[in-house]
Amino acid sequence: MTVPRTDAGRGRPAPPGGGLIPFPAVDEVSRHCLSGDEPESVHLEVHLPGRLDPARLREAFRQALLAHPRVLVREVPGRGHRRSYAWEPTGEPDGDPVAFAGRGPGALARARTRALADCPPLTVSPPMRLDVVEAAGEAAVPEPPADAGRAGSGTGTVLLLTAHHTALDAPSALRVLATTAERYSGTPALPIPGRVRPDRPDPAPGGTGGTGRTLRTRPVRVAPDARPASVRARAAGNGMLQADLPVPRRAAPAGSPPPWTVNDQLLTAAALTVGRWNVSRGRPPGPVRITMPVDDRPRGTEMPMGNGTRLVEVAMAAEDPRDTDLLLGERPDPAAVARLLRTTARRTRALKATRGSLWGAGAGLLTVPLLPVGIRGVLTRGARRATAPWTSTVLVTNLGRVPYGLDFGDAGRATAVWFSAPARMPRGLSVAAASTGGRLHVTLRWSRALLGDAAGADLAGLFGEALSAVSLAPAPQLAPAPSPAPVPSDDPEAGPDATAGSADADADGVGVGAGAGVGVGDAETGARAPRGRARGPGGPHRPDTPRPDTAPGAAHPTRDHRERPS
């Protein structure tokens, strides 16, 4: 089959004539590596304080799909001897992608389980579906603030959008929901501020190279849980836990920008979590490498749909080897954490400022249409297995502060936005975060071939503690000003100026809250855990860490938003 090549598959709108769109390299590599045991799904939740009208929502979602025609595509069927995969723009949905999942304490849990286990098919347009879950007086939907809108108390709705990651990423899915809100409420779209990126990359520290890759050292893997290897090998699907946390604070001297972003804090917390987890399982410490998606697309209505984020890797090794013991001790040393944060901030600034292909030259070579797709698929899967030891330790993706109002009119504005990214082996772990209303909504998702639900809950508790430690890291002080001349005796109050902390938005648009970061188990109180309750890497976990809830339909705290692992 001969496919006319266009640029639409690389994020540009589909051609007016409806020509076929060849798979870009990112889509093709994902298509080659699909597995029924570990679905390639993107799960996105928007929590609303009120209820939606079903007919209006269906029409608003349909209008949103028509406004983004690149979403209305399906895979062209074909055999393995063809030279390329292709998307076929349909112009209209093949069916009704909106489903109302009912109400009740177990409805949201079932919808999440489906999102993690059942990908929308690529052969149906659009490759996404929207499940609507109503809640009446249940803890699954957080209570909105008193001035949140016109919704009545004790009611709520969750919009759960599931997209196939071969076709769409999380920012594209969120853009579709933002357009749906605009069509539902009838309010025009507001201008979306652009992202702030440094003009030039800083010098790459610590011998990581301009791309942040450490080529000579294999990154550590997340240590598996204590289940027998044969049991883990038979496990299928993903588990997931969500947490509602304060946005970690970023102290800075007065008049100076914060030395690191919230995104840098998330990366550092993930590295500390993996390091302490591995030490508690008897694994030696080693370099942690984190895959970080970077999205350079505009976020307005003109945003290109598809997989538009480029993946970069951040080496999280400390520059001073002596800091390893200080970071992985019973309580991470604040000064060592601050040094790791400064190193991470320099590396991420350089990576964000560097432009490059989405998946690098290797993926481009594997997808050159010189061989049939069947042969290229075998080569791609073989390359993936061969490079598994060098795969990054964990994926950390941060949407930042959600730039859209997500105002659904009489149903109110979104009170929370959660999402999760795939967690396929050999990496097996992903951390996803978004900020709404001054709160940080974090989702940990893991492969059950690596961790069981109880182990995943323990890991989530460690992440909460690590984020708390990172938020308390001291900011570097400004160099002292030259000593002033002797003050005359008639001016006794002259002296150096005092400094105060500042709260700005970071480069990714994440807002900074006033409260310090807390552990997952302390999100309900909003206060940091006492130091005496901190957990050492090898010690017993705190009893208030979120664990799988085996009782069906059991209630969960509202502010903490702990959920039974899906």
Side-chain angles (χ1 to χ4, degrees):
M1 178 183 66
T2 301
V3 180
R5 287 207 166 266
T6 70
D7 288 332
R10 300 189 181 274
R12 296 185 177 88
L20 301 183
I21 305 170
F23 274 32
V26 176
D27 295 8
E28 181 173 326
V29 171
S30 176
R31 174 67 175 79
H32 287 322
C33 299
L34 293 180
S35 169
D37 292 339
E38 293 179 306
E40 193 79 357
S41 63
V42 174
H43 139 265
L44 180 68
E45 290 184 25
V46 173
H47 291 236
L48 303 173
R51 295 181 181 176
L52 294 162
D53 178 78
R56 283 177 59 194
L57 178 63
R58 280 195 169 96
E59 179 59 25
F61 191 66
R62 180 179 177 277
Q63 292 178 11
L65 295 176
L66 296 178
H68 302 286
R70 178 60 177 80
V71 177
L72 288 170
V73 294
R74 59 173 173 246
E75 181 187 340
V76 178
R79 298 183 180 273
H81 57 73
R82 53 183 165 163
R83 291 300 178 93
S84 64
Y85 295 110
W87 296 115
E88 177 187 9
T90 61
E92 290 280 346
D94 287 339
D96 184 6
V98 181
F100 286 80
R103 50 195 308 190
L108 182 56
R110 291 190 297 271
R112 286 177 176 151
T113 300
R114 185 186 178 203
L116 299 185
D118 183 17
C119 265
L122 294 176
T123 55
V124 177
S125 173
M128 61 164 55
R129 65 172 177 267
L130 180 63
D131 292 322
V132 184
V133 182
E134 291 187 0
E138 59 175 303
V141 180
E143 283 292 329
D147 57 350
R150 297 171 292 278
S153 178
T155 64
T157 304
V158 177
L159 298 178
L160 199 152
L161 184 68
T162 306
H164 202 303
H165 203 358
T166 301
L168 298 167
D169 55 15
S172 296
L174 184 60
R175 177 64 253 183
V176 172
L177 282 182
T179 306
T180 302
E182 295 162 6
R183 298 297 193 272
Y184 185 91
S185 63
T187 57
L190 298 176
I192 305 298
R195 291 180 174 85
V196 179
R197 292 282 188 259
D199 294 331
R200 299 178 185 175
D202 291 346
T208 59
T211 61
R213 296 177 183 270
T214 52
L215 301 179
R216 291 176 293 180
T217 306
R218 293 184 182 183
V220 298
R221 307 252 66 81
V222 177
D225 58 19
R227 293 174 299 164
S230 58
V231 175
R232 291 198 306 271
R234 292 193 300 270
N238 291 167
M240 180 178 70
L241 268 176
Q242 297 170 314
D244 179 359
L245 306 173
V247 176
R249 66 178 177 88
R250 296 181 299 154
S256 66
W260 41 70
T261 67
V262 174
N263 188 68
D264 299 327
Q265 292 176 307
L266 288 169
L267 295 174
T268 304
L272 291 179
T273 300
V274 172
R276 301 184 72 203
W277 172 266
N278 284 358
V279 168
S280 71
R281 265 63 188 172
R283 296 287 186 93
V288 174
R289 207 158 66 205
I290 296 178
T291 294
M292 178 185 74
V294 178
D295 191 3
D296 300 313
R297 296 171 292 181
R299 295 175 291 185
T301 54
E302 75 283 5
M303 175 182 179
M305 298 287 103
N307 284 302
T309 55
R310 53 188 173 96
L311 301 180
V312 299
E313 291 188 2
V314 186
M316 298 301 298
E319 292 186 295
D320 188 346
R322 294 172 295 182
D323 281 350
T324 300
D325 292 336
L326 299 176
L327 292 169
L328 303 183
E330 182 177 356
R331 294 187 182 93
D333 180 72
V337 173
R339 288 191 291 271
L340 181 57
L341 275 169
R342 288 197 296 272
T343 301
T344 302
R346 292 199 299 272
R347 290 172 178 166
T348 56
R349 281 199 300 269
L351 290 166
K352 291 174 182 177
T354 302
R355 298 296 184 265
S357 59
L358 300 186
W359 271 22
L365 290 176
L366 287 172
T367 57
V368 173
L370 298 178
L371 297 173
V373 293
I375 298 178
R376 296 208 304 271
V378 173
L379 295 176
T380 301
R381 290 186 290 272
R384 186 172 182 266
R385 287 191 295 269
T387 59
W390 286 272
T391 302
S392 63
T393 311
V394 60
L395 169 71
V396 177
T397 176
N398 174 30
L399 290 183
R401 181 190 291 126
V402 176
Y404 313 115
L406 296 176
D407 185 356
F408 281 82
D410 50 3
R413 288 176 173 264
T415 58
V417 175
W418 271 277
F419 80 102
S420 71
R424 298 181 58 188
M425 295 294 285
R427 186 183 293 118
L429 178 65
S430 68
V431 179
S435 175
T436 306
R439 304 291 295 179
L440 189 66
H441 302 114
V442 181
T443 303
L444 269 73
R445 181 169 165 179
W446 59 87
S447 170
R448 287 200 170 104
L450 176 70
L451 302 173
D453 289 343
D458 287 340
L459 192 70
L462 273 181
F463 180 82
E465 294 174 5
L467 191 61
S468 175
V470 167
S471 71
L472 298 176
Q477 298 298 317
L478 295 175
S483 300
V487 180
S489 57
D490 59 350
D491 189 14
E493 296 182 1
D497 295 333
T499 59
S502 65
D504 298 330
D506 69 10
D508 289 327
V510 181
V512 179
V518 299
V520 174
D522 298 309
E524 189 169 1
T525 62
R528 183 170 60 89
R531 294 183 64 88
R533 295 172 59 195
R535 177 199 175 207
H541 191 64
R542 288 180 0 204
D544 58 352
T545 298
R547 292 182 176 273
D549 185 1
T550 57
H556 304 278
T558 299
R559 292 294 305 278
D560 196 7
H561 199 74
R562 303 175 206 165
E563 279 295 325
R564 173 184 178 185
S566 300

